């Protein structure tokens, strides 16, 4: 297993289908919607791979009271944004996993462990995992996420990870795979393509 | 639901009627109090001193300090780049019905620099008390909640002193969400004189450190119930010949507080004159140069705060103005309560869920050591009957 590159947070709750992590906003840049991430499962042999579908910042009465002010003191604004919001929660939909034999685009045998570090899937790992657009299957099968928007954002992330000269070809091949998956649901396919166009993919 | 709602409802209505009646009575009482206060202002200072000299040593009330009594001080200029430190504490009390007898104190502090773009510095320190000598007094009696409160109050003052000594640039305002007089000393007498002296000494040391590092220290009391100025006003209007030691038991304006008096007297943003507090406990504070004074402050939102300060703040106009201006600035965004104290409380508070989590951790740890302590039968029975279903 490769070492995770710089954790973005730690898991607070999870299942085989999704996991939720927490991150301090002051520690690093926030994860983005559609980004791929990974966390180790309970056996220590499997790296569970997810796509971030929700980033949540809760409010409270003090935040609401302060939001209504015309002139919020700068130190209180910094306190609210960097201290009080912690932790920010992000949730990822599981789209596959990796073990010694390679990648699988189905649900893992076990979920990650509580407080397991979550890191972004980047570089060569991201290229390999997204080489096939098979991760789209679990996204499109999920009922609890904005699937079309998420798939478009994930594809965009995979495209951006590739060298400029390979992007159009990758997008075309991925588009074909997704078109096959959604052959019986053209309205949904149009939603994915529309979202891709809007995100510049 | 085990409440007898049909019987309770008329009582709620009676409560409301009673409050309405009390409100009318208090308005009359306030008229009398305002008149007595005018009498106090008109009384020559030496005659007031004669009255204070005749009253018994157990009398508790206000004494004029350096400022003239009728003073109403307008908001001073804001202090640029002011550092505000707020400290607060919370606790898990010892419970003889729990699996293990222990207590926990959680202390928190926040350092906020006004007009600064960077986030405030925060800290939290949690300590578990479990050694036999921490859980029993010298008399071998188990410690009580008052003792925990006393230790927590000491910890809050020490947190302020620690954080204040780490500030190297700019003026400091150090705030506590409490009276500066360590009232818990009076409630924790079971700890024994030697232990109480040790706590008081440590508390005075922390106050000394704050004084030495240039801080302006203040204890904030929201919705204060004290009537020290009213007691002084009553004394000023009493026939001097009738004043004696038994006046400590007199209640001149039952139910009325200084807060209601100063709500009528102070314009928004203004503070009252500083008063010295005459009380047996404050005599101990005065003896070591840490006597407590106080004033009332009218904050936006029609809030009247009682602000307690050491004599070395009351006697130093720059530090006094820093308290006044700093509290006004701190309360701008919170509709009448200092932001630093709201945040210090938020950082310090031990929630019920956290208390249960700590107890569970302890239980698990003991189990790994082969120990299986149990709840008392009473506590266990409560867990069986407090699930929400209440059969009759």
């Amino acid at each position: 297993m490769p070492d995770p590159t710089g954790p973005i947070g730690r898991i607070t709750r999870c299942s085989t289908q999704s996991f939720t992590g927490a991150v301090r906003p002051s520690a690093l840049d926030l994860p983005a919607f559609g980004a791929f991430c990974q966390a180790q499962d309970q056996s220590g042999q499997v790296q569970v791979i997810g796509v971030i579908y929700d980033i949540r910042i809760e409010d409270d009465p003090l935040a609401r009271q302060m939001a209504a002010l015309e002139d919020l003191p700068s130190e209180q604004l910094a306190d609210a944004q960097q201290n009080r919001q912690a932790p920010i929660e992000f949730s990822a939909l599981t789209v596959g996993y990796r073990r010694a034999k390679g990648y699988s685009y189905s649900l893992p045998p076990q979920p990650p462990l509580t407080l397991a570090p979550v890191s972004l899937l980047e570089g060569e790992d991201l290229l390999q995992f997204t080489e096939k657009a098979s991760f789209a299957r679990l996204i499109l099968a999920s009922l609890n996420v904005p699937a079309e928007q998420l798939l478009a954002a994930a594809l965009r992330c995979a495209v951006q990870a590739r060298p400029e000269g390979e992007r159009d070809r990758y997008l075309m091949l991925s588009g074909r795979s997704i078109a096959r998956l959604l052959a019986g649901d053209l309205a949904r396919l149009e939603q994915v393509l529309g979202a891709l166009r809007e995100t510049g993919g | 639901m085990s409440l007898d709602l049909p019987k309770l409802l008329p009582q709620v209505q009676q409560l409301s009627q009673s409050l309405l009646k009390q409100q009318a009575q208090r308005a009359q009482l306030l008229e009398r109090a305002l008149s007595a206060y005018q009498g106090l202002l008109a009384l020559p200072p030496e005659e007031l001193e004669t009255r204070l000299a005749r009253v018994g040593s157990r009398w508790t009330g206000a004494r004029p300090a350096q400022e003239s009594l009728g003073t109403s001080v307008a908001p001073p200029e804001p202090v640029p780049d002011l550092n505000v430190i707020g400290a607060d504490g919370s606790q898990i009390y010892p419970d003889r019905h729990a699996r293990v007898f222990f207590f926990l104190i959680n202390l928190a502090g926040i350092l906020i620099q006004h007009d600064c773009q960077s986030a405030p510095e925060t800290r939290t320190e949690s300590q578990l008390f479990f050694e036999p000598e921490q859980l029993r007094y010298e008399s071998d009696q188990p410690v009580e909640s008052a003792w925990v409160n006393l230790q927590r109050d000491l910890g809050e003052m020490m947190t302020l002193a620690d954080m204040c000594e780490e500030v190297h640039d700019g003026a400091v305002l150090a705030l506590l969400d409490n009276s500066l007089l360590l009232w818990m000393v009076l409630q924790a007498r079971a700890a024994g004189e030697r232990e109480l002296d040790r706590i008081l000494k440590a508390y005075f040391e922390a106050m000394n450190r704050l004084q030495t590092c240039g801080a302006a220290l203040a204890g904030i009391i929201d919705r204060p119930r004290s009537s020290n100025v009213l007691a002084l006003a009553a004394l000023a209007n009493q026939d001097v010949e009738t004043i004696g030691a038994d006046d400590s038991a007199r209640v001149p304006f039952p139910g009325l507080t200084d807060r209601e008096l100063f709500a009528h007297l102070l314009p928004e943003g203004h503070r009252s004159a500083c008063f010295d507090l005459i009380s047996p406990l404050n005599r101990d504070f005065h003896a070591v140069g840490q006597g407590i004074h106080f004033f009332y402050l009218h904050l936006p939102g029609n809030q009247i705060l009682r602000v307690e300060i050491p004599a070395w703040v009351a006697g130093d106009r720059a530090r006094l103005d820093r308290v006044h201006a700093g509290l006004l600035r701190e309360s701008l965004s919170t509709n009448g309560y200092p932001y630093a104290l709201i945040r210090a409380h938020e950082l310090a508070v031990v929630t019920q869920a956290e208390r249960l989590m700590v107890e569970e951790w302890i239980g698990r740890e003991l189990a790994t050591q082969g120990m299986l302590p149990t709840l008392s039968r009473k506590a266990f029975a409560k867990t069986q009957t407090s699930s929400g279903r209440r059969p009759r």
Side-chain angles (χ1 to χ4, degrees):
Chain A
M1 287 298 133
D3 288 330
T5 55
I8 54 170
R10 289 184 180 277
I11 286 181
T12 53
R13 58 182 184 276
C14 53
S15 70
T16 47
Q17 295 180 47
S18 66
F19 49 93
T20 295
V23 59
R24 285 192 81 84
S26 54
L28 29 79
D29 290 338
L30 285 177
F33 177 74
F36 288 82
C37 60
Q38 58 184 343
Q40 206 166 63
D41 86 338
Q42 301 189 7
S43 69
Q45 304 299 309
V46 170
Q47 203 73 15
V48 179
I49 296 169
V51 178
I52 293 171
Y53 70 86
D54 193 25
I55 300 164
R56 189 172 290 257
I57 300 170
E58 300 288 347
D59 70 349
D60 59 22
L62 180 61
R64 285 196 286 273
Q65 183 180 337
M66 293 173 73
L69 289 176
E70 276 182 27
D71 296 311
L72 185 61
S74 57
E75 73 278 359
Q76 291 180 15
L77 179 64
D79 188 35
Q81 291 182 338
Q82 293 175 45
N83 290 336
R84 288 197 77 243
Q85 281 184 352
I88 289 175
E89 270 196 358
F90 61 92
S91 297
L93 180 74
T94 302
V95 290
Y97 62 96
R98 176 175 50 199
R99 53 183 162 194
K101 285 187 278 183
Y103 291 104
S104 170
Y105 298 90
S106 54
L107 293 178
Q110 292 177 323
L113 275 174
T114 303
L115 297 185
V118 183
S119 60
L120 289 176
L121 191 70
E122 291 177 311
E124 194 58 32
D125 294 335
L126 179 58
L127 294 180
Q128 283 180 20
F129 181 73
T130 57
E131 197 176 336
K132 297 182 214 167
S134 306
F135 60 84
R137 275 204 309 265
L138 281 173
I139 294 179
L140 290 171
S142 177
L143 299 174
N144 302 319
V145 301
E148 294 78 18
Q149 294 285 332
L150 183 63
L151 180 54
L155 269 176
R156 170 96 180 131
C157 179
V159 167
Q160 291 296 321
R162 288 171 160 73
E164 190 114 16
E166 295 177 20
R167 290 178 182 173
D168 284 347
R169 186 174 168 275
Y170 175 77
L171 200 55
M172 186 187 69
L173 292 174
S174 304
R176 281 183 190 162
S177 299
I178 292 164
R180 275 196 296 276
L181 284 173
L182 292 176
D185 192 344
L186 293 179
R188 223 173 158 202
L189 177 61
E190 182 50 40
Q191 282 183 45
V192 175
L193 296 176
L196 258 178
R197 277 194 295 272
E198 280 172 23
T199 57
Chain B
M1 180 71 73
S2 68
L3 291 176
D4 187 342
L5 292 183
K7 282 190 182 162
L8 197 58
L9 189 60
Q11 292 177 56
V12 170
Q13 289 163 344
Q14 285 163 17
L15 177 150
S16 154
Q17 291 300 317
S18 170
L19 280 180
L20 206 61
K21 197 172 149 194
Q22 287 172 44
Q23 214 171 31
Q25 288 168 345
R26 286 162 85 89
Q28 288 177 355
L29 209 55
L30 183 61
E31 286 296 317
R32 275 181 44 215
L34 285 165
S35 163
Y37 186 73
Q38 293 306 321
L40 168 67
L41 298 186
L43 194 70
E46 58 279 7
E47 285 191 33
L48 185 60
E49 280 305 315
T50 306
R51 285 168 161 75
L52 286 168
R54 287 179 67 99
V55 82
S57 62
R58 288 174 58 211
W59 185 80
T60 296
R63 176 196 283 275
Q66 291 95 335
E67 295 172 318
S68 95
L69 279 178
T71 301
S72 169
V73 182
E77 283 296 308
V79 182
D81 303 326
L82 179 64
N83 297 289
V84 182
I85 303 173
D88 204 357
S90 183
Q91 68 290 312
I92 297 175
Y93 288 119
D95 179 3
R96 66 194 173 91
H97 295 291
R99 286 185 177 85
V100 178
F101 194 65
F102 74 97
F103 67 93
L104 176 143
I105 292 179
N106 198 44
L107 296 167
I110 183 165
L111 165 61
I112 302 172
Q113 191 180 4
H114 283 178
D115 304 313
C116 172
Q117 304 296 324
S118 56
E121 178 195 324
T122 60
R123 69 176 62 176
T124 311
E125 192 180 320
S126 314
Q127 191 181 352
L128 211 53
F129 295 80
F130 50 84
E131 297 290 358
E133 60 272 20
Q134 294 171 327
L135 299 177
R136 303 193 86 79
Y137 299 134
E138 277 182 343
S139 62
D140 203 37
Q141 292 297 307
V143 297
E144 306 150 305
S145 301
W147 175 248
V148 177
N149 292 339
L150 186 61
Q151 301 255 40
R152 183 204 59 214
D153 289 355
L154 168 63
E156 290 172 5
M157 188 63 87
M158 290 171 74
T159 301
L160 273 189
D162 290 345
M163 292 185 77
C164 190
E165 285 174 343
E166 291 165 18
V167 177
H168 301 296
D169 296 314
V172 176
L173 169 61
L175 298 177
L176 281 183
D177 176 19
N178 217 342
S179 167
L180 293 185
L181 270 183
L182 206 51
W183 290 107
M184 284 299 151
V185 164
L186 303 178
Q187 292 180 27
R189 288 188 193 281
E193 206 160 309
R194 201 164 65 173
E195 272 301 289
L196 294 180
D197 281 350
R198 186 183 64 78
I199 295 275
L200 267 174
K201 196 175 164 206
Y203 191 78
F204 292 145
E205 269 174 22
M207 290 180 79
N208 274 326
R209 286 165 59 201
L210 285 157
Q211 181 180 6
T212 305
C213 68
L217 169 64
I220 308 304
I221 301 159
D222 185 21
R223 202 173 279 189
R225 289 174 299 173
S226 49
S227 53
N228 305 132
V229 177
L230 286 173
L232 182 68
L235 195 70
N237 285 272
Q238 195 176 340
D239 182 357
V240 70
E241 297 305 321
T242 64
I243 297 174
D246 55 350
D247 280 299
S248 57
R250 277 192 71 216
V251 183
F253 305 104
L256 205 64
T257 63
D258 289 351
R259 176 166 61 100
E260 289 154 293
L261 180 72
F262 284 103
H264 273 75
L265 295 172
L266 293 174
E268 189 173 295
H270 283 226
R271 71 162 172 86
S272 71
C274 283
F275 297 89
D276 188 3
L277 176 64
I278 300 181
S279 84
L281 182 58
N282 203 22
R283 274 196 279 278
D284 293 340
F285 277 63
H286 270 297
V288 294
Q290 296 292 353
I292 301 303
H293 291 226
F294 66 93
F295 62 82
Y296 289 94
L297 174 61
H298 190 161
L299 287 177
N302 210 23
Q303 275 275 87
I304 299 288
L305 291 186
R306 177 181 167 109
V307 183
E308 294 193 351
I309 48 177
W312 44 267
V313 172
D316 177 340
R317 189 58 191 252
R319 292 201 214 208
L320 188 54
D321 282 351
R322 198 189 306 163
V323 173
H324 186 175
L327 287 174
L328 289 176
R329 168 67 162 72
E330 276 287 293
S331 305
L332 277 179
S333 62
T334 57
N335 203 22
Y337 200 72
Y339 181 81
L341 289 178
I342 291 175
R343 288 285 287 118
H345 170 77
E346 186 176 41
L347 292 164
V349 69
V350 181
T351 62
Q352 175 73 355
E354 286 170 323
R355 186 178 72 79
L356 293 173
M357 187 187 71
V358 170
E359 286 172 358
E360 195 182 311
W361 278 0
I362 292 173
R364 266 194 237 157
E365 189 58 35
L366 291 174
T368 62
Q369 306 290 332
M371 291 181 277
L372 294 170
T374 55
L375 296 172
S376 74
R377 295 308 301 170
K378 177 179 170 178
F380 181 74
K382 282 185 179 174
T383 66
Q384 303 292 295
T385 55
S386 58
S387 61
R389 186 169 166 265
R390 304 260 183 96
R392 285 191 176 270

